[in-house]
Amino acid sequence: MKYKALVPELSVANISESKKFYLDVLGFHLEYERVEDKFAFLSLGEAQLMIEEMNGSWNTAELMYPLGRGVNFQIEMEDVEGMAAALKDQGIKLFRDVLVNHYENDDGGVMVKEILVQDPDGYLLRFSQMIVAGSRL
């Protein structure tokens, strides 16, 4: 497995609950885990993510729900509407339902479909599907 240049590691309250959410609900793949450390390395397509049950090792202050305030993790995928429907079918409330957004960049911009959902610890996940890229938007 080739590791990405940036792989976020999220502190979670309950590794079993988080693994179930990421694997069974969102469809991530378990690359490997260290059960004794309550740690798991996950992937979804090209995205990689680590989760570890809170143990005090990384805490710079008290951790309180919702965790990850001020950050969202964008995860590229090919079927945002399918993901939204699957989440709703499982009773998962979306933080933000399917939106089409246009973001400017040096190439003129991109148009994407996006949803936002919170994981069990409150981390905000933004699933994003490219619709159009380039200067002719």
Side-chain angles (χ1 to χ4, degrees):
M1 177 177 67
K2 183 174 181 198
Y3 295 95
K4 302 297 178 187
L6 175 66
V7 183
E9 182 172 341
L10 308 180
S11 294
V12 299
N14 182 305
I15 192 72
S16 296
E17 184 179 327
S18 291
K19 276 178 38 185
K20 181 177 179 170
F21 180 79
Y22 280 92
L23 300 176
D24 298 343
V25 175
L26 297 178
F28 275 72
H29 175 73
L30 177 65
E31 295 293 340
Y32 66 89
E33 66 182 318
R34 295 190 305 269
V35 175
E36 65 282 357
D37 294 328
K38 298 182 178 181
F39 170 91
F41 193 104
L42 312 173
S43 67
L44 180 68
E46 295 294 314
Q48 296 177 332
L49 181 67
M50 298 179 286
I51 56 175
E52 182 176 36
E53 192 166 300
M54 293 177 199
N55 58 27
S57 294
W58 305 108
N59 298 12
T60 56
E62 182 181 356
L63 297 178
M64 298 171 19
Y65 183 89
L67 299 177
R69 294 178 203 151
V71 67
N72 70 77
F73 299 97
Q74 179 176 310
I75 303 162
E76 291 183 15
M77 63 178 325
E78 296 196 15
D79 184 12
V80 164
E81 289 186 20
M83 172 69 87
L87 291 170
K88 290 175 186 176
D89 286 348
Q90 295 180 64
I92 304 295
K93 182 181 178 203
L94 298 180
F95 185 83
R96 187 170 298 148
D97 210 336
V98 178
L99 292 181
V100 175
N101 287 313
H102 176 253
Y103 298 110
E104 292 294 324
N105 63 23
D106 289 343
D107 294 330
V110 295
M111 191 174 294
V112 295
K113 279 186 191 176
E114 298 178 315
I115 60 168
L116 289 116
V117 64
Q118 286 180 284
D119 81 353
D121 293 288
Y123 290 106
L124 193 57
L125 309 173
R126 177 172 30 147
F127 291 94
S128 181
Q129 175 185 348
M130 181 75 63
I131 300 172
V132 178
S135 59
R136 295 198 175 111
L137 294 178

